[in-house]
Amino acid sequence: MSHLAETFAAARADGRAALIAYLPAGFPTRVDCVPVIAAMVENGVDAVEIGLPYSDPLMDGPVIQAAVDSSLKAGTRIGDVMANVGGVVGTGAPTLVMSYWNPIERYGVDRFARELAEAGGCGVITPDLTPEEAGPWIEATDEHGIDRVFLVAPSSSDERIETVVRACSGFVYAASTMGVTGARTAVSSSAPELVSRVRQHTTLPVCVGLGVSTRAQAADVASYADGVIVGSAFVKALLDAESPGAGAAAAAALAAELAAGVRGASGVGVRA
Amino acid sequence: MPTPLLNIPETKEVAAVTQTPEQSDLGAGPDSAGRFGKYGGRFVPEALMAALEELDVAYREAIADPEFVAQYDYLQRTYTGRPNPVTDAKNLSEHAGGARILLKREDLNHTGSHKINNVLGQALLTKRMGKTRVIAETGAGQHGVATATAAALLDLECVVYMGEEDTQRQALNVARMQLLGATVIPVTAGSRTLKDAINEAMRDWVTNVDQTHYLLGTVAGPAPFPEMVRHFHAIIGREAREQTLEMTGRLPDVVAACVGGGSNAIGIFHAFRNDPGVRLFGFEAGGEGIESGRHAAKLSVGSSGVLHGARSYLLQDDEGQTIASHSISAGLDYPSVGPEHAWLRDTGKATYESVTDVEAMDAFALLSRTEGIIPAIESAHAIAGALRVGKRLGPDAVILVNLSGRGDKDVATAAKWFNLVDSATVDSTSEVVT
């Protein structure tokens, strides 16, 4: 069983959903990225997505755009992404990369999968790649034992859901709503229905992302999904902080809150 | 059954003059996956796949429906003003090595450019799909103005995304869109130009796709946009081919057009694709010169990559990050290009060269003074390219140029470039309408 599959199995054995956190590589800074994520893992994050900063992130709202922009301006390269993955793997959490397609294609599909495997990474989420365009990517990820996660959306027909889940490994990423990343006051009501439709096509874990930022939302999503994915809320906590130290503390506190949410519990202490 | 959108008088007569696309158009690519060779395809968030499939079906049904075709044709004749003429630019000839230069006058269309051809088609399609809102990106503002115009005519809500830098250099077009009832949203992300406006339009579309059609303005983007936009612009080449034969008794040696995203070029190229004696030339923006790094010459020095939903040529670094383009012409200032151009380039079916800001502005002035036609700066790139090719081919050559737009929108830029007014006057003009 892969590390990622073990993580979902362990969460399920606990009677809860897994908490998956996203941060862009090189954010909030090159040196702070891994320590901040380590603090989040210490406070209940089960698995991590490292974003590969890209110049044209058309699925991302303003919060993640700002973070990615600052990381790119600081000179983050794919080598740094791999290094961040290696660092986060050291925390014990299974680590994936979230990347738009062009950087992977340009870097070399096989090279990307191979170097990610060498860094200890376990999977890649590709928000603008559909299975129809993924032929070489499917070969490369199979070759190097990397899970590939495609997305389903509320607009996906049952036929498309079938196509997508057959191409997925690791888990299926269900976009909770029609839109881009960013916190919302309410997680879309279309998410539970989407998850239940996906379950008719696969036994893979189904994780829900887009719009989750609070403990109550995490608890709600955890009641029907296998994983709760949170990105913009962590990024915002770090962008809003007055110092890197304060940012790390805020991200850790948010992790603890969300971890309590996926456990259906109320209130846990923040571990330093 | 779609409701009639317009009261077309004397339906029978209109139906009689309706043009149906030649059968061979349908077989000229892309393939069923929307690919031109290895280019094209659909690289989009899953959330948009349903909308693209819906659009693909609606588009194919519409162009096979005589009623839709009649509506489109009626608007093209009575609203756009088609057919527009071909002008024999006799005074320009001596500056082109004596070659005969024919200008296809898309600048005479309503709204001032070729963009209206595509916009009317997609706006009618929006109504047919039962959607109530259109969004569009715009660089020079020509596509935004055309979209705002069609939205006003067909009672659609219209939002136009425009890079903040472009709202400043094309301030008059911002005002024009607002007069037509559109909301113009300046985009402050990234390089603040056309590519960022497209990102923002895609974000809007994925959020509001139920009621919204993304009225993409060029032959780029995910399938079926490149094929659909080509279809609505192919009238340019069909008319021009016929007009050139009438005027000269022969086909042209060269067909020339400027290439940003590539819609006016595909529009005029398409009718000549089976004419082996006709060479197709696309002229992209060389900006301050290729060696300066500040240009938009993706087909000359770019590489294969994926941006905005399709694989094509792209200005990018070694790790796939998009490199911002540069051109004095906002409409050519785009780091990628429609996938069919990438395929035409690789197969040698068309030749692409770059034209610098300086060459384009020289041609802009020359056409104004010799022929009394002020071209869009975009189209001035095609004129400059035609002059260059004419000098190579000599006096026996016939060169058909797509004069894709008129230069009214560019007067402030040109006045500044040629020092015709003091800069304070130009700046205050910009401020008034921004």
Side-chain angles (χ1 to χ4, degrees), chain A:
Chain A
M1 191 184 276
S2 74
H3 191 185
L4 188 59
E6 284 168 16
T7 300
F8 283 114
R12 194 174 298 133
D14 272 0
R16 67 176 179 88
L19 175 61
I20 303 169
Y22 162 96
L23 275 192
F27 179 79
T29 66
R30 179 185 294 245
V31 293
D32 291 317
C33 182
V34 173
V36 166
I37 292 174
M40 289 156 57
V41 171
E42 183 69 20
N43 282 280
V45 166
D46 297 297
V48 176
E49 296 173 11
I50 300 287
L52 192 155
Y54 175 52
S55 53
D56 294 274
L58 56 79
M59 270 292 281
D60 285 306
V63 168
I64 290 178
Q65 282 179 50
V68 161
D69 224 35
S70 84
S71 179
L72 281 175
K73 285 204 173 96
T76 301
R77 303 259 303 167
I78 291 177
D80 302 309
V81 177
M82 297 297 179
N84 282 166
V85 168
V88 174
V89 167
T91 68
T95 307
L96 302 92
V97 167
M98 162 86 91
S99 180
Y100 290 91
W101 180 243
N102 195 50
I104 296 177
E105 179 164 307
R106 178 71 167 161
Y107 195 70
V109 166
D110 187 76
R111 177 187 176 198
F112 191 93
R114 174 167 41 81
E115 291 186 11
L116 181 62
E118 286 165 6
C122 65
V124 182
I125 302 160
T126 45
D128 62 345
L129 184 70
T130 56
E132 287 87 343
E133 303 287 358
W137 178 236
I138 288 170
E139 279 179 37
T141 45
D142 280 345
E143 167 78 21
H144 298 287
I146 293 293
D147 283 326
R148 46 175 187 271
V149 178
F150 295 97
L151 278 69
V152 293
S155 60
S156 302
S157 64
D158 287 338
E159 192 185 353
R160 284 212 55 80
I161 288 174
E162 176 68 19
T163 302
V164 172
V165 302
R166 286 170 73 93
C168 279
S169 55
F171 66 90
V172 179
Y173 189 128
S176 68
T177 184
M178 298 298 286
V180 296
T181 58
R184 288 172 178 79
T185 49
V187 177
S188 164
S189 59
S190 55
E193 191 213 328
L194 175 60
V195 171
S196 108
R197 285 205 294 140
V198 174
R199 290 201 195 286
Q200 289 164 24
H201 297 268
T202 184
T203 55
L204 282 172
V206 185
C207 302
V208 170
L210 295 194
V212 184
S213 62
T214 66
R215 178 165 71 189
Q217 289 170 337
D220 175 45
V221 173
S223 70
Y224 58 85
D226 301 300
V228 180
I229 303 170
V230 181
S232 292
F234 283 114
V235 171
K236 187 165 190 308
L238 289 158
L239 285 172
D240 289 350
E242 287 176 5
S243 68
L254 178 62
E257 283 283 303
L258 295 165
V262 300
R263 284 166 179 79
S266 56
V268 289
V270 178
R271 280 166 283 178

